[in-house]
Amino acid sequence: SPAEDLHELRKDAKKLRYLVECFGSLYPSAPRKAFVQHLKVLQDNLGEHQDAEVHVSELRLIPEQLEELGPVDPATLVAIGQLTEQLERRRREAREDFAARFASYDTKATRRSFETVLRSAGGRR
């Protein structure tokens, strides 16, 4: 999936989590907490990916911007490259972990927790 799709999924997960937490008093505690916990794990992974994606994109622009201001110390460019590499590694790791995180979220137990939450507030599946 493109990074933009993962970011949209993160935003949707955040909205859903905030809605469930905001109206938490309407729902039974145990299923609500179970659902929110699964959602947080997924959201954390997507957040890690998005943060690294944004930082890498920004860091890649800095050398060109610095060169417009004048000569750039090679050590500065090396440091930017090393930081970019570390963040790119974090991004890749988060992306690789996504499938497992999503699979642990996309389970019958999570769906049952969410359905229980919805039914308890008078909602339907």
Side-chain angles (χ1 to χ4, degrees), residues 17-114:
R17 180 178 144 215
Y18 288 166
L19 283 170
V20 170
E21 288 178 333
C22 181
F23 295 101
S25 64
L26 300 174
Y27 309 124
S29 180
R32 175 180 45 86
K33 286 181 180 178
F35 176 73
V36 167
Q37 183 56 42
H38 287 291
L39 201 52
K40 281 182 181 180
V41 170
L42 179 63
Q43 213 178 331
D44 288 346
N45 171 259
L46 292 168
E48 179 73 22
H49 180 272
Q50 178 63 21
D51 290 349
E53 180 81 22
V54 168
H55 290 131
V56 165
S57 294
E58 290 297 316
L59 282 170
R60 288 186 174 145
L61 299 174
I62 291 175
E64 186 176 308
Q65 293 168 345
L66 288 175
E67 287 178 7
E68 290 175 5
L69 300 173
V72 182
D73 182 353
T76 300
L77 297 176
V78 169
I80 292 170
Q82 290 172 337
L83 182 56
T84 301
E85 188 177 308
Q86 288 175 8
L87 288 164
E88 182 61 33
R89 191 173 323 116
R90 274 183 39 200
R91 187 201 63 75
R92 278 193 315 270
E93 288 169 0
R95 181 66 180 98
E96 291 168 3
D97 288 346
F98 172 73
R101 299 273 180 106
F102 188 78
S104 71
Y105 168 78
D106 188 28
T107 64
K108 288 181 182 179
T110 303
R111 280 189 293 266
R112 275 194 301 271
S113 294
F114 188 58

